[in-house]
Amino acid sequence: MHNNVNKLTWAVAISAAAFASQVNAGGYQINEQSVSGQGYGHAGRSSNVNDATIVFGNPAGMSFLDRAQVTAGGTYLNVNSDIDNASATRNGVPIEGTSDGDMVPGTLVPFAFYAHPVNDRLAFGFGVYAPFGSKTDYEDGFIGRNLGNYTELTVMSAQPTVSYRFNDQWAIGAGVTYNRVDGELHRQVPHALGGEVDSRVEGDDEAWGYNLGIIYQPVPETTFGLTYRSKVSYTLEGDFRATANDNTLGNPPPFGIGAGQGDVVAQDDNASLDLTTPETVNFSVTQEMSDNLKLMAGLSWTRWSRFNEILVTGSEGDTITREQQDYSNAWAFAVGGEYQLNPQWVLRSGVTIDNTPTNDQFRSARIPSDDRRIFSIGAGWTPVEDLTLDFAYSYLTERGTQIDQERTDELIEGVPGVTSTYTADYKNEAHGFGAQLTYRF
């Protein structure tokens, strides 16, 4: 029982944790670290220096700021999901359940940055933000509960940063990131006696990474930016618990625990998993077309091919599960613009095409995402010289996708396992509402 239940739970845990790499970028990598950048679809993420959020976008850009400033804000994500044609079976027999959809709760993604130019060449900065995150929370009677009904993973990062400007054309920057990951996953595991085991796992870890940036400005009107963010490797250590109602398991329960009334703990243990969030590269260009108009274009590449398989080990170092994932490297493309209407107001808009790293064979009910298109608008208001308020709205629409999952669970040694299937059509969309404040010293 020990290895079998750990296998059931942690296979799901790693899948969700590694998938949990994107809420508004391909997969589940979070893009919400700048509301001013959100307004033009992050098209100029590495090249357009507006405020202290450049600490994340490109650390080299801090040396192009004229004075110290702090920027803080957040984006509220409202995700809507429609599920159609949902069906599930156990050993070929259809089961009943609901498929309400809208399983992603509304979420606020906050951030804060500080940038401090020391002189014309040297600058320091610091940022706190969420680079990765995911949450799906299906209703209690969800028809696909045997494949997964709750997933939550959050990564928070703190980044001290330094940049140096060699001359009017070239600047470099670097930052070190301290990252903390927390995850929780639930699944209702079926067994041969006809009931279900409530399988839950929690885990966390801390790890370090880094980022590098370059800015090249051949002429004052044209700026090129290139940013590299490193992979971060975690080993999540967590607690595992499986509980079941002994009335549904028979008497005695199949886990070797004496019968009683109500819920019984079928297993309480620990396990570990390795998780690596992938490195990313972003390149963008900003071109000043006139005193009032700037146009931007950018592309991002994420090395998802690192995620080739799931490998979970138990407390004794034994292999619990090994599953092929076969992710592909993913690209995102964006174009946008910024128009200075008057000294107080700037208007922004942008479009992003964001390709998913997943494939049809391994797409799951936990992260049922596909290729995305994101349309953004925004505005910045500077009522006084030292203060700017930025606002943005983004509409994200995904290509309709299908989930077709199957897995076999063997909870009791010597008893045939239960094969569960879940099939459904998903259509996802999201609305992002952002606001931030920048104060210059």
Side-chain angles (χ1 to χ4, degrees):
M1 166 62 189
H2 171 90
N3 283 347
N4 285 332
V5 177
N6 275 334
K7 181 186 297 184
L8 295 171
T9 304
W10 281 93
V12 173
I14 285 194
S15 296
F19 280 150
S21 333
Q22 305 191 13
V23 163
N24 217 3
Y28 272 77
Q29 183 178 16
I30 295 179
N31 256 343
E32 285 70 30
Q33 297 89 20
S34 171
V35 172
S36 53
Q38 179 188 345
Y40 47 77
H42 302 290
R45 165 159 282 179
S46 295
S47 57
N48 197 39
V49 183
N50 268 328
D51 46 50
T53 62
I54 198 66
V55 170
F56 176 88
N58 187 340
M62 292 190 304
S63 56
F64 284 80
L65 296 171
D66 59 356
R67 51 184 166 149
Q69 51 197 272
V70 60
T71 301
T75 298
Y76 180 81
L77 298 173
N78 179 24
V79 182
N80 302 314
S81 299
D82 289 329
I83 304 176
D84 297 313
N85 306 315
S87 64
T89 66
R90 292 184 195 150
N91 287 339
V93 179
I95 65 172
E96 295 184 355
T98 58
S99 54
D100 293 344
D102 291 342
M103 64 285 181
V104 181
T107 302
L108 176 65
V109 183
F111 57 82
F113 298 95
Y114 175 73
H116 184 91
V118 177
N119 52 43
D120 291 341
R121 297 184 181 274
L122 182 66
F124 293 95
F126 186 82
V128 179
Y129 54 88
F132 296 91
S134 168
K135 186 172 184 179
T136 53
D137 185 7
Y138 290 92
E139 65 273 18
D140 290 341
F142 173 50
I143 193 171
R145 60 191 178 276
N146 298 147
L147 283 302
N149 58 350
Y150 183 89
T151 304
E152 183 172 11
L153 184 136
T154 303
V155 177
M156 292 299 297
S157 299
Q159 176 189 316
T161 309
V162 62
S163 71
Y164 185 78
R165 186 171 180 176
F166 294 99
N167 49 45
D168 290 341
Q169 287 76 43
W170 290 96
I172 61 172
V176 176
T177 61
Y178 165 78
N179 310 277
R180 178 178 174 85
V181 59
D182 292 274
E184 181 178 354
L185 301 109
H186 305 171
R187 185 165 78 88
Q188 304 302 307
V189 182
H191 60 80
L193 297 181
E196 295 178 341
V197 175
D198 180 27
S199 177
R200 303 187 177 211
V201 65
E202 297 180 8
D204 59 73
D205 192 25
E206 302 169 352
W208 295 87
Y210 65 92
N211 61 359
L212 304 171
I214 300 174
I215 281 185
Y216 173 53
Q217 197 174 73
V219 294
E221 296 79 19
T222 305
T223 305
F224 297 94
L226 179 67
T227 305
Y228 171 83
R229 302 188 66 82
S230 74
K231 68 177 183 178
V232 179
S233 297
Y234 304 92
T235 298
L236 277 76
E237 303 287 345
D239 299 321
F240 162 76
R241 172 166 288 199
T243 59
N245 187 296
D246 58 0
N247 294 323
T248 69
L249 297 179
N251 193 354
F255 306 102
I257 299 176
Q261 297 297 320
D263 292 341
V264 296
V265 177
Q267 184 67 44
D268 194 351
D269 205 350
N270 57 70
S272 65
L273 64 91
D274 291 332
L275 167 67
T276 299
T277 55
E279 59 263 58
T280 61
V281 178
N282 179 272
F283 171 79
S284 69
V285 58
T286 298
Q287 178 66 47
E288 294 187 17
M289 308 301 294
S290 68
D291 290 341
N292 296 331
L293 177 65
K294 290 194 289 188
L295 298 181
M296 290 151 277
L299 57 87
S300 296
W301 176 81
T302 305
R303 193 178 179 182
W304 281 113
S305 60
R306 284 190 177 278
F307 186 43
N308 188 48
E309 67 174 3
I310 294 170
L311 177 62
V312 187
T313 57
S315 56
E316 302 299 323
D318 53 312
T319 298
I320 293 174
T321 188
R322 187 189 299 270
E323 299 181 12
Q324 191 73 21
Q325 293 301 311
D326 197 27
Y327 261 32
S328 299
N329 297 332
W331 289 89
F333 309 90
V335 294
E338 189 173 71
Y339 183 76
Q340 191 73 46
L341 186 64
N342 54 46
Q344 288 75 42
W345 286 95
V346 59
L347 307 179
R348 307 180 178 107
S349 65
V351 178
T352 304
I353 298 173
D354 202 353
N355 297 318
T356 182
T358 64
N359 58 68
D360 294 341
Q361 183 177 359
F362 298 110
R363 189 173 291 113
S364 77
R366 291 188 179 274
I367 313 294
S369 63
D370 211 308
D371 294 339
R372 297 165 174 181
R373 304 293 180 266
I374 307 169
F375 305 91
S376 301
I377 57 173
W381 177 44
T382 305
V384 295
E385 183 180 2
D386 297 331
L387 178 68
T388 298
L389 300 174
D390 291 289
F391 307 93
Y393 165 75
S394 298
Y395 172 70
L396 179 153
T397 179
E398 281 190 359
R399 184 176 65 178
T401 193
Q402 185 180 59
I403 305 299
D404 189 3
Q405 289 184 266
E406 177 181 314
R407 69 178 300 148
T408 299
D409 296 309
E410 298 179 357
L411 287 182
I412 311 170
E413 187 174 353
V415 176
V418 178
T419 298
S420 303
T421 68
Y422 172 62
T423 302
D425 297 322
Y426 281 74
K427 185 67 173 74
N428 304 315
E429 66 174 13
H431 305 269
F433 306 89
Q436 75 176 34
L437 180 150
T438 298
Y439 185 79
R440 301 169 184 85
F441 300 94

